[in-house]
Each structure stands twice: as structure tokens, then as C-alpha cells.
Amino acid sequence: MTPLLSSTVKVVLRIKKEAKSKSNKLHVEKKSDGKDCVMVNHDALHIFPFDKALNQCATQLDTYNAVIGNGIDLFLSGYHVSVFAYGQTGSGKTYSITGIENQPGILPLFAKNLFEKISRQNLDSSVYISLSFYEVYQEKVFDLLASNRKPLRVRGGTDDPYVEGLIEVGVKDEDELEKWRRTGLLRRSTAATLMNELSSRSHAIFSLKVQREYENPKRVVVSRCFFVDLAGSERLQTSGGHRTNESISINKSLLSLQRVVDARASNEAFVCYRDSVLTRLLKNCFDGNSATTLLTTVSPLECYSSETLNTLRFASKAAQVIQQPTINEEFGGESIADLRELNNHHLKKIAEMSAQIETLKQHCASVESVQAPAVLELFQDESLNQWARLENGIKFCILQNQLAEYFFENDKWNIRAFAAGVFVNGIALTVNSSRQLDHGDILSYYERKFCAVYLDEKCDPNKFISYDRAKLQYVTAVYEKQKEEMTEEIIAESKQNVKDVRDSLENELVSLRKELDGVKNKLKNKSEDQKYALKKEYDMVESLINDTEDVKKNLNDAVSKQTAIFKAVKEETEEDKMMHVGIKKVYAELNNEKFVELYEYFADLYQSDKTADEIIGEFNRFLYSSKYVWKPIRSGVGSSLLQTAVFNTLQETARKRRSTYAEVSRGFASRRSVIADIIQKPSERPTSQPIDELVQSLSFYALTAQRGPDTEEELGKLNEIGILLNVCITVRKNFDVFIAPENFLTAASIQKKAASIVGIYRSIGSLDALAATAQLCFITPSIADISLDYCPKEILERVNCLRQLIESWINAVREDTLSKDLGNLIFNEIDRIIQSVGFLAYFLGRRVEITDPGVQNEFRKGIMSAVKDLTMDVPEILERCDGEKTTREKFKKLAATFVSEILKYVEQSFDEDFIFEVVRRAILIKENMITLTEDRAGKMVEKIKDLIKNIEKFSTFVNPSSIELLKDGLKMWQQLSYISAKPPKSRAKS
């Protein structure tokens, strides 16, 4: 590699042409060394040197010549070349780099001259050029050549960063390069701001890569040329505050770039390129191995004087950066021929896919191209509609299965069905039957595919039948027939159910009468005391016989009434008809796991190389295996009629007996009657139960409250942390109502509804208790003395947040929009409150016994949060005091070393005794040494001895080497304490 002579970054200034009169006076003066100096408002303090300064009259070609110079020769020779455009928003950066149609910018002119030079020097066979185009938007990298926009990851170490998955395209001429460049520009992030109607909201990086083969001697050089169009630096008040996040991100990355330039200009030994994605990717442009040019653009308007001065200062700093570019040789890389072959292969694939797209476009039915006679296949998205010209003998197939054939006979078009499931205007065709087709006929296949017959060329294609109209027309035709069939099935099912129930009731009556006769016989030979119990049993059996006879007698009438209601004609909406006709014949109940299994299996099956028959066979074997229990979709509707009829019958019986529904149904339930099987299934139980049951259930749940500590011994064990934690445990238990599968609207039983309502009230009440406890903590001396009153305040804020979440939960239940995420969010807030209690417990040194694993886990998280907060400065102390220049620094380093060594065991596992007896003591020693002077450090010796004594108790998991380290530290501490101790003041002689 042959190095160039040392040179600095080349800096060029371009002043934007402005029509406004109020402008800065930017005076350009040529110096004897060939450079241009720019003076702002004739102020000697504001003079900035440039390699070239272009005034407002400069053309695009002037700018290109000033910026590129001999850049093409350097690029083809193997040197890296970089061009940056830097300046405020709206100063002309993108215009200078890209240009417009009749005024091309630096990049298009560079591409034109590059390929002209390659052609002129006959380098086509030895040079391979590829490009990539990407942007950095809000610290994320997006490929502008990719069709889908997703962020890419930056990989590689400090020396060789790269973008993973970035598209790199080979180009052979200027036209191909220009095509890809325009593609990328269309996808770049831009937006209107107050300063610029088409402001770039990202940093765009266009990269050209050249691989050149040399024969004598045989070698390959690889060089890159970067064209970087930086987003403009801006102030929110001048660009508009509605794009705040973008402006902050842009200014942050530009600030990182300024730091890199400052560090390189000052020749600092270490330059941090990792502060920003931009500086990390463009490290090679400023680390010395690049011929770099900075084009700075400014506006002469006086209102932007501050931005102009900042731009000029940055440019003058960049001019001090020393670069030393070298020729970049590559060994073991791919040859030019291999690269061209690979690129041609990819281009061929792209061409094939484009041809397929064009073929599909020919079948697209947006509709001026439709020519009669034709069949139009309809889709809900009209852009997907396809048409096929009718030809004699053409067949309609699904998965290579022939369903129908179109044929021309007697000057008419006809259709013949080869399989079941073919409908014409809602009328099913039998297999091998045929029917004449007319213009506008709707064809349906398997009730899923819809087609329309187009025979009249005078018909406006734009007003032809849509998918929705075709489906509605089909549904209207088949609806009444299917509804009638379904009604007959349901009524037949209901009649069979009634017959079965009446037969079961008759058998139950026979059994009950025998039982009643048995009780009668027992009564004859019993004493008066024994007769009382038997008489009660006799009355109960007799009552149940009467209830059973009433139910049996009235059941037919009740079912007839429900059947009449069901058969009553009502006006159906279009949506009802659609749902009715589209309903499947069978269904299976799937949980999420089974559904995912089914989905993945079918996805793999349809992407396999199997034939259509093999796919259908696999489909049937898998779907109808024993894994899934299939049920008729309409089964149970007749049962629902019976259930409602039984419910109404029991209500009528209860009214006659002057009893309640609950009492009557309880009698059937006690005997395991067939009636109990009908009315006691939670998923099928009628919801309209008497209100007295709700009141009874509410009273029961209201009395079963959470028991608290009630003995003096229990109360004496509770401190402020214990009280807070007990209330938190109660809150957490009461809040289970918000993640229960059923709530006060969806619960199947009245008891569960009552439980849900009471649970909500309890949760609100426990929140009030938590708020009151947190407020009491404000005035607790132990908390106020160590300035931790912000912890109870945080708990109160989270309590208010929980109240708002409860209100949102109740509203979501009412509107039937409830999701599990809301319940999880409520519990997350509770867990954060418990963590705050753990945080507080550490500082107060309070240990609490917890039996609930979930509460214990969150409580420990709070303790560890306090430990992390108090030890985050340990690495900094160790680094700062590494030199040990003063005795105080030695003490600090020792204390930090103690903490660092002990923290190793905290990271391995959580031991509450170890935390409070060892870690807390070590941290207190470290905290005291931050404030104590070295002459008073001797007072800490006893505390260190206590620390060592306590850590020895945990010898089961603490390594002996750690204990020895603490003992050695104690000896050193004692020596330093002796040295730093102040001598006693001598008394003056009397």
C-alpha cells in the first residue's frame, strides 16, 4: 500500500442564492496561498479560511469541480474518497449533491464522468462497480434500495463496522446507477418544516465500491466513495416543534460528528466514534484513510446568522483534520468475472419476476381491457379481479380439480358441472348437468369463489357487478332454503329432546312413587319422635313428585311456545344473511396451542412440492384425525329451546307453589334429575335468575373478608414496612378479580357475578387502606430522618394510577373491549409498589417474613434496586482512585474494593441475611468514607472488623480468598489510619 502525502480535509463553501434583501455580508477574499477567506459582516473576529468559496452565482458544475477535483482518479487508483454536505436545513445540501432534472448535482456528474473515464481508458473488463444506498433516521439504519422498510443492525467492531443485510447492487453504466439512485431517493425520509418545504429528516449515505484488477503485478485494489447528505442542523423554533423527536435525533448525531472532528483536529489519542450510528458507520471517512471533502452550505439571510456562524466554525475545525489516505489492496477476494457472473444471475432473476408480474397484469380486470365474452373472477379488493376470455371447452379448476366447463352451443354459452358445489344465481347444479348462461349471471364455486358472466360489450365495465353485489345476490337466493332446512333440523332436534326428557321424567316418577310408598310403610311402625323425621322426608318426596308432574305436564306447551317464537318471521339484515349462508357445517374447539399447530402444519403443507391430490389427502388425514372433536354447528340449538322451556316451566311451578326458582331447582338437583342436567350447566344456564339470589350471594361474599392481625403479639411484630407489605399483599390478592376469566357481565352463574362485584369493591377499599398507610409513612421519623419521604409519595402516585386503571377496566367490560393486557398492566403497577416497599426496607434495615412467592420476588427486586443505586459509583471510585495519590483516595479505594468483592456473591444468588448483615454494612463503610476526612477514618476500623466477623458466618458460599482480601484490607486500613491520625496539640508551657 502506497501512502499519499499528508493532507488535511478539503473544505469548500457554497453560499445559497437568496432573493430576500436582508442578508449577511459574506465577503470573500483570495489569499496568496490560493485559499479563500470568508469574512462575516466585515468583522475581523469572524474570518474563516476555505480551499474554495463559491458565491451565490456559482453553478452546479462549478460546485462539482471545486468539490471533486481529481477525486475520480484517486477513486479508480484504490483510494477511499468521501464527500460530505454539511449545513443548516434549507441551505442547499441536497440540491448540491443530487441536483434537479436539468441541473444535475455532484453525484450524477461524478457517475457520468466515472463511467466515461472507464470507457475511455478501456477499463470495463478490469473494473467492477457496485453501490448501496441507505439512511440513518432517528439512530436507525434503513436500506433505501429495499422494498420493505425495516431497521437494519450495525455489526462489526470499532475498526470494521458494517450494516447487516444491506443490499449491494452491481452496475455497469450510468443509466443503471441513476435508476437505483432515483429509487432510493423516493424512499428517503423527508417532511415540510418552517425552514424548508422538503426538508431531509435523515442522513443519506450513497456508497460506490470499485474493485479493480491489475495484471503486472497481479493484484486487486478495492476502494469506496461515500456521498453523505447530512440532515440539516436546526432549532425547534425555526423548524417547527411538531417534529421535535426528529430534530433532537438529527442534532444529537451532528453533535457526535462535531466531537469526532474536534478530537481529530486536536490530534487526541482516543477518538470515540460509537456515540452515534452516523459516526460509527463513517469512521473510515475521518480516521485518516480517506481523501475527504467537506462541502459546507450556508444561507446569507440575516435571520440565520447564528446557524451560518456555527457552520463556518465547524468547517474551519474540519480543515485542521489531517488525513493520510492509502491505496487499499485486497487479497483472497472474488475476481471481477465471478462478481459479474453473480450480479448477472441476480439481474436475470429480477427480470424473470418482472416478466411474471407483467403476465399477471394482463389478467387484471380493471376493466377497460375486458372483452366479451368473458368470465370475471371477483374479489373483495377490486384490484385483484381477474378475467378470462370464454372459449369453447375452457374449464374452471381449483387445485387442479375440474369443477365446471364452459361450452358454446346453439349460439349460446353454457356451463356444465363436473362436481358438487357449483351454483348459478344461487341454484345448485347437479353433477354432469348443464345450464345456459346469460349476461350478468353469478357463478359460485363451493360458496367461496364468485364469478360473473360478461357477454354484453355495450355494458360499461366500470358499472359491472362487484364482489359484494355478487355475494349478496347469491346469498339472497339460497338464504330462504337454507333457513328453512335449518329450522326443520332444529325443531326435529327439539322434539326428540322433549321426548327423551319426558321419558326420563316418567322413569323418575315411578321411582319417586315407590320411594313414597316405602316412607308410608315406615311411618306405621315408628314412634312419634321417629315419625317427625320421616314425615319431613315424606313431604319432600311428595313435593318433588308434584313438581315433576307439573314440569312433565307443562313441558310440551312451553316448548311449543318457544318453537313458535323461534319460527316467527323477522326482517334479516344483509349481514345476518351473509353470516347464515357462510356458516360451516361443523366446528371444533381449539385452544391457542392447537390453533398454532394447525396453522403451521397447513402453511408448510401448501408450500411443499406435493401434488394437489396429495395435499388434499394430507389435509383430510390431519384435520379429521382423533386430535380434533368435530361437532355439528347447529347441534344444541334445539337443546337451547328445551332449556329455555324448562326454565320457564320451573318459574311457573315456583309461582304456583309460592316459592322461588332456586328452591324448586334445588329439589331436582338434590335427586340428580334429568332437569338438573339441563338447568345446571354453567355454559347453558339462563341468565335471567331472580334478584333475591344475587342479593343472597352478595351478602355471603361481603361477609368473607380478609382477616388481619388481631392479637397484641401479631401487632407488635409489625413495623412501618410490615404494615405496608401486609396491605400490599391484601391488594394483590383482591386484585385477582381483574385477571379472572369471568367478570360481572360475562360470568355464567349469579354467584360468580356477585363474587366479581364484591371483588371490585374490595380492591377499591384495599387501595384506600394502602393510600392511608403511605400517608402515615410521610410523618414516620425513621423515614423522614433519612430523607426517603419520596418513596411514600411514589406509592401514592401509583395508587392514583391504579384507580384510573380500575375505571378503564370497568368501562372496557361494559363496552366488551376488555383485553388481558389491561389486567396485566394493573398487576404491573402493584408489583412496582411492592418493589418500592422493598427499596424502603433496605434503607431502614427492616426484614420481613413473606410466604407469598410472587410478593417475595417483587420485594427482593426492590431491595436489589436499592443496592444497585448505592453501588453504581463503585467502578468510578476504583478508576478515579487507581493512582492512590492521596491517603483519602487510598481509603476510598479500599472501601470500594470491599463492596466490589462482596457484590460478586449477590449476583450469584439472593440471600436476605447476607444482604442486610454483610452487603449493607460494606456499603455504609463506603458511603461514610465519601464524607469523612482521612484523619477520622480510624473510627471505621471497628465497623470493618464487624463486617469481617459477619461475612465469616457465610463461609458456605463465600470463598476464603474473599475473606482474606478483607482482612488484608483491614491491616492496610489500620496502617493508613495510624499515619493519617493528627498529632495532639502541645500545651504551651506556663
Side-chain angles (χ1 to χ4, degrees):
M1 295 187 292
T2 307
L4 280 176
L5 294 176
S6 297
S7 62
T8 58
V9 171
K10 182 179 178 182
V11 183
V12 177
L13 174 69
R14 185 176 190 182
I15 303 172
K16 182 182 179 182
K17 187 175 183 180
E18 296 283 5
K20 297 183 179 180
S21 57
K22 290 186 178 181
S23 61
N24 290 311
K25 296 180 179 178
L26 298 176
H27 179 67
V28 180
E29 182 179 343
K30 180 73 76 173
K31 293 294 184 180
S32 58
D33 59 358
K35 293 194 173 184
D36 295 337
C37 281
V38 178
M39 181 183 296
V40 182
N41 290 331
H42 297 287
D43 187 348
L45 297 175
H46 294 152
I47 298 178
F48 305 95
F50 286 88
D51 292 281
K52 185 69 176 178
L54 304 171
N55 59 28
Q56 299 185 47
C57 298
T59 63
Q60 292 281 68
L61 186 59
D62 294 335
T63 307
Y64 169 79
N65 291 330
V67 171
I68 298 302
N70 63 340
I72 292 179
D73 294 329
L74 295 176
F75 184 40
L76 289 175
S77 299
Y79 294 98
H80 293 322
V81 177
S82 305
V83 176
F84 283 76
Y86 180 92
Q88 72 180 77
T89 298
S91 59
K93 300 182 302 302
T94 303
Y95 171 72
S96 299
I97 292 290
T98 303
I100 55 178
E101 194 65 37
N102 57 349
Q103 297 176 26
I106 296 170
L107 177 53
L109 291 173
F110 182 93
K112 177 183 178 182
N113 293 333
L114 172 66
F115 284 105
E116 285 181 354
K117 192 173 189 69
I118 291 173
S119 177
R120 193 164 55 247
Q121 296 184 1
N122 296 320
L123 301 176
D124 301 86
S125 60
S126 61
V127 170
Y128 178 77
I129 298 177
S130 58
L131 64 87
S132 57
F133 197 5
Y134 55 97
E135 69 174 354
V136 178
Y137 177 72
Q138 293 195 3
E139 290 299 293
K140 294 179 182 178
V141 179
F142 295 92
D143 193 343
L144 295 178
L145 302 184
S147 57
N148 56 334
R149 183 175 177 84
K150 62 178 181 179
L152 305 179
R153 305 183 73 172
V154 180
R155 297 286 195 180
T158 306
D159 296 330
D160 190 23
Y162 67 94
V163 180
E164 184 179 46
L166 185 67
I167 295 175
E168 187 172 300
V169 184
V171 291
K172 63 179 182 293
D173 54 37
E174 178 192 356
D175 293 337
E176 283 191 5
L177 186 148
E178 182 65 13
K179 180 189 72 174
W180 287 111
R181 185 183 71 85
R182 290 178 181 271
T183 299
L185 283 176
L186 292 174
R187 295 170 180 160
R188 187 181 178 188
S189 299
T190 60
T193 67
L194 300 179
M195 299 177 69
N196 185 2
E197 291 182 357
L198 201 62
S199 173
S200 301
R201 312 309 296 166
S202 65
H203 308 296
I205 303 169
F206 188 94
S207 173
L208 286 172
K209 179 181 176 182
V210 162
Q211 288 185 240
R212 183 175 181 183
E213 290 181 346
Y214 289 89
E215 293 297 333
N216 295 313
K218 190 171 183 64
R219 60 196 179 100
V220 176
V221 295
V222 180
S223 57
R224 288 187 178 274
C225 181
F226 293 97
F227 293 88
V228 184
D229 181 10
L230 298 169
S233 59
E234 56 189 33
R235 293 176 294 173
L236 293 182
Q237 58 264 39
T238 57
S239 62
H242 58 294
R243 309 196 75 85
T244 303
N245 291 335
E246 289 179 352
S247 298
I248 291 173
S249 179
I250 290 168
N251 291 338
K252 179 183 175 183
S253 57
L254 292 177
L255 180 61
S256 299
L257 179 63
Q258 290 176 10
R259 288 174 181 162
V260 168
V261 170
D262 289 343
R264 290 282 292 117
S266 305
N267 291 322
E268 293 182 9
F270 174 75
V271 180
C272 182
Y273 292 94
R274 300 182 71 90
D275 286 348
S276 167
V277 173
L278 177 69
T279 53
R280 186 179 175 191
L281 289 174
L282 299 177
K283 174 181 178 293
N284 293 332
C285 301
F286 282 101
D287 70 347
N289 186 21
S290 174
T292 301
T293 301
L294 179 69
L295 171 64
T296 53
T297 58
V298 297
S299 171
L301 295 179
E302 188 176 356
C303 58
Y304 300 138
S305 58
S306 175
E307 286 84 353
T308 298
L309 282 173
N310 288 335
T311 302
L312 296 176
R313 290 192 184 102
F314 174 77
S316 64
K317 201 72 174 179
Q320 301 173 30
V321 176
I322 298 175
Q323 300 284 87
Q324 198 170 31
T326 57
I327 295 177
N328 301 277
E329 296 185 8
E330 188 174 278
F331 301 95
E334 294 179 286
S335 66
I336 301 296
D338 292 339
L339 290 172
R340 290 187 187 279
E341 183 180 355
L342 181 62
N343 190 63
N344 289 335
H345 172 73
H346 289 315
L347 291 175
K348 184 179 178 182
K349 286 289 185 184
I350 293 173
E352 290 175 357
M353 293 174 69
S354 299
Q356 291 177 8
I357 293 172
E358 290 301 321
T359 302
L360 292 174
K361 284 181 178 178
Q362 293 176 4
H363 295 286
C364 182
S366 44
V367 246
E368 288 82 1
S369 56
V370 180
Q371 296 179 356
V375 173
L376 187 66
E377 186 175 355
L378 302 168
F379 293 87
Q380 203 155 14
D381 182 354
E382 292 186 358
S383 63
L384 301 177
N385 289 357
Q386 297 180 3
W387 64 273
R389 188 171 179 81
L390 277 179
E391 296 177 2
N392 195 27
I394 191 172
K395 296 176 176 59
F396 185 87
C397 305
I398 294 180
L399 287 178
Q400 298 180 1
N401 291 328
Q402 295 182 3
L403 301 182
E405 176 189 29
Y406 304 104
F407 61 95
F408 193 72
E409 187 175 86
N410 298 326
D411 295 329
K412 297 288 183 180
W413 282 101
N414 300 266
I415 183 172
R416 180 182 293 113
F418 290 150
V422 180
F423 294 79
V424 179
N425 297 329
I427 300 174
L429 297 184
T430 57
V431 178
N432 293 325
S433 66
S434 60
R435 173 172 171 158
Q436 180 180 313
L437 296 176
D438 295 319
H439 179 75
D441 280 351
I442 302 300
L443 311 179
S444 172
Y445 299 95
Y446 288 156
E447 303 181 357
R448 290 294 179 267
K449 288 280 187 182
F450 291 95
C451 301
V453 179
Y454 183 81
L455 301 177
D456 186 2
E457 291 185 353
K458 298 179 181 178
C459 176
D460 184 358
N462 291 301
K463 298 179 180 179
F464 199 48
I465 297 173
S466 65
Y467 174 87
D468 291 333
R469 281 180 56 201
K471 187 172 183 180
L472 180 60
Q473 184 175 332
Y474 163 79
V475 165
T476 303
V478 302
Y479 171 70
E480 292 300 332
K481 183 178 180 181
Q482 287 197 7
K483 183 180 177 181
E484 184 179 346
E485 292 174 355
M486 184 189 76
T487 303
E488 291 175 356
E489 289 176 10
I490 292 171
I491 293 174
E493 180 187 355
S494 176
K495 288 180 178 179
Q496 184 60 43
N497 289 338
V498 171
K499 181 179 180 302
D500 294 342
V501 170
R502 285 174 60 84
D503 291 343
S504 298
L505 288 176
E506 185 59 40
N507 293 332
E508 289 176 15
L509 282 170
V510 172
S511 176
L512 287 169
R513 289 183 183 117
K514 287 181 180 179
E515 184 177 346
L516 189 65
D517 292 340
V519 175
K520 266 185 188 180
N521 293 330
K522 289 179 182 179
L523 282 170
K524 295 176 182 178
N525 304 318
K526 298 295 180 181
S527 64
E528 290 299 324
D529 292 337
Q530 292 173 330
K531 283 183 178 181
Y532 176 78
L534 286 172
K535 185 70 170 64
K536 191 172 182 181
E537 181 181 354
Y538 180 88
D539 292 341
M540 184 184 71
V541 175
E542 187 177 36
S543 175
L544 189 56
I545 289 174
N546 293 332
D547 289 346
T548 305
E549 288 176 341
D550 277 353
V551 170
K552 181 184 174 185
K553 176 183 177 183
N554 298 326
L555 190 58
N556 276 336
D557 291 339
V559 171
S560 299
K561 288 180 182 178
Q562 290 302 316
T563 304
I565 293 172
F566 176 75
K567 292 174 66 176
V569 179
K570 67 171 185 176
E571 188 66 27
E572 299 280 356
T573 65
E574 294 179 3
E575 294 176 356
D576 292 334
K577 292 179 181 180
M578 294 283 189
M579 186 177 298
H580 172 80
V581 173
I583 201 167
K584 294 182 181 295
K585 302 296 182 183
V586 293
Y587 75 97
E589 295 177 354
L590 304 179
N591 58 23
N592 183 65
E593 183 180 354
K594 285 187 177 180
F595 174 78
V596 172
E597 177 192 11
L598 198 66
Y599 173 81
E600 291 178 348
Y601 179 81
F602 288 154
D604 294 340
L605 184 63
Y606 283 115
Q607 293 175 18
S608 67
D609 56 358
K610 295 182 179 181
T611 65
D613 292 337
E614 289 173 336
I615 290 176
I616 292 173
E618 288 288 334
F619 176 90
N620 290 332
R621 276 191 294 273
F622 187 84
L623 203 59
Y624 300 110
S625 66
S626 58
K627 289 184 177 181
Y628 307 105
V629 179
W630 296 97
K631 307 172 187 177
I633 195 69
R634 290 163 185 159
S635 69
V637 179
S639 300
S640 298
L641 290 177
L642 174 64
Q643 176 196 24
T644 307
V646 169
F647 172 67
N648 292 337
T649 302
L650 291 178
Q651 290 276 45
E652 181 64 22
T653 301
R655 187 183 64 78
K656 290 179 180 178
R657 301 280 188 271
R658 296 186 178 180
S659 180
T660 64
Y661 168 86
E663 288 295 328
V664 174
S665 60
R666 196 175 294 120
F668 285 101
S670 65
R671 308 292 297 188
R672 296 184 179 177
S673 168
V674 66
I675 298 298
D677 294 336
I678 296 173
I679 64 176
Q680 289 191 344
K681 293 178 183 178
S683 60
E684 299 178 359
R685 185 177 302 164
T687 57
S688 57
Q689 297 185 17
I691 193 66
D692 56 345
E693 289 192 48
L694 176 61
V695 175
Q696 183 180 1
S697 300
L698 283 173
S699 301
F700 171 76
Y701 286 108
L703 291 172
T704 56
Q706 177 74 19
R707 178 184 170 275
D710 52 8
T711 66
E712 290 185 9
E713 184 181 356
E714 288 177 328
L715 288 169
K717 291 179 181 179
L718 293 179
N719 49 42
E720 61 274 13
I721 297 300
I723 295 172
L724 265 175
L725 199 58
N726 266 6
V727 179
C728 287
I729 292 172
T730 303
V731 170
R732 204 172 195 272
K733 184 175 182 179
N734 290 340
F735 271 58
D736 284 343
V737 68
F738 297 112
I739 57 171
E742 296 178 316
N743 55 59
F744 61 87
L745 285 185
T746 62
S749 69
I750 209 72
Q751 289 82 6
K752 290 183 179 179
K753 291 179 185 289
S756 178
I757 295 171
V758 172
I760 295 170
Y761 277 101
R762 279 187 188 163
S763 64
I764 296 171
S766 58
L767 276 185
D768 293 338
L770 181 57
T773 308
Q775 286 172 343
L776 286 175
C777 288
F778 270 121
I779 58 174
T780 303
S782 56
I783 295 177
D785 290 346
I786 57 176
S787 301
L788 282 176
D789 52 351
Y790 64 88
C791 285
K793 184 178 180 182
E794 181 183 350
I795 292 173
L796 287 172
E797 290 175 353
R798 293 200 180 279
V799 167
N800 290 331
C801 181
L802 281 170
R803 288 195 176 105
Q804 294 173 3
L805 288 173
I806 290 174
E807 183 181 0
S808 301
W809 184 89
I810 293 172
N811 290 333
V813 171
R814 287 172 178 165
E815 297 169 5
D816 195 22
T817 58
L818 185 63
S819 68
K820 289 184 179 179
D821 294 339
L822 188 54
N824 294 335
L825 192 60
I826 290 173
F827 264 80
N828 287 340
E829 287 297 320
I830 299 172
D831 290 343
R832 290 192 181 100
I833 291 175
I834 298 172
Q835 291 171 21
S836 298
V837 177
F839 185 90
L840 198 56
Y842 174 86
F843 280 97
L844 297 175
R846 304 280 197 264
R847 278 180 271 189
V848 184
E849 292 184 7
I850 306 173
T851 56
D852 188 308
V855 175
Q856 186 183 58
N857 184 47
E858 299 304 326
F859 186 76
R860 287 177 173 181
K861 284 182 183 179
I863 293 175
M864 290 306 300
S865 175
V867 172
K868 288 179 182 178
D869 283 359
L870 291 171
T871 58
M872 60 190 304
D873 61 341
V874 169
E876 183 183 352
I877 293 173
L878 291 173
E879 183 180 356
R880 192 171 62 243
C881 301
D882 189 41
E884 299 183 358
K885 297 179 182 179
T886 65
T887 305
R888 181 177 176 79
E889 288 182 349
K890 293 178 181 178
F891 279 126
K892 287 184 178 180
K893 184 178 178 182
L894 277 173
T897 303
F898 293 162
V899 175
S900 179
E901 184 67 22
I902 290 170
L903 284 178
K904 294 178 183 177
Y905 303 102
V906 178
E907 295 169 357
Q908 294 173 5
S909 63
F910 185 94
D911 188 301
E912 190 170 321
D913 293 335
F914 186 76
I915 292 285
F916 281 93
E917 294 180 19
V918 178
V919 177
R920 193 167 180 272
R921 290 175 183 270
I923 293 174
L924 283 172
I925 293 171
K926 187 263 296 183
E927 292 294 314
N928 285 332
M929 277 315 304
I930 292 176
T931 56
L932 284 178
T933 57
E934 61 268 20
D935 60 316
R936 303 184 66 185
K939 296 182 177 181
M940 306 300 295
V941 171
E942 291 303 320
K943 294 185 177 181
I944 297 174
K945 288 180 180 179
D946 290 341
L947 174 64
I948 295 172
K949 183 178 178 181
N950 282 321
I951 201 172
E952 286 175 338
K953 298 177 183 177
F954 300 93
S955 57
T956 54
F957 64 86
V958 175
N959 293 331
S961 59
S962 299
I963 298 174
E964 289 302 318
L965 185 146
L966 265 66
K967 290 180 178 178
D968 293 340
L970 173 61
K971 293 176 183 178
M972 188 177 297
W973 193 290
Q974 290 172 326
Q975 294 173 2
L976 292 171
S977 301
Y978 178 77
I979 295 170
S980 60
K982 293 182 179 179
K985 294 182 180 179
S986 58
R987 294 184 178 180
K989 294 181 180 180
S990 55

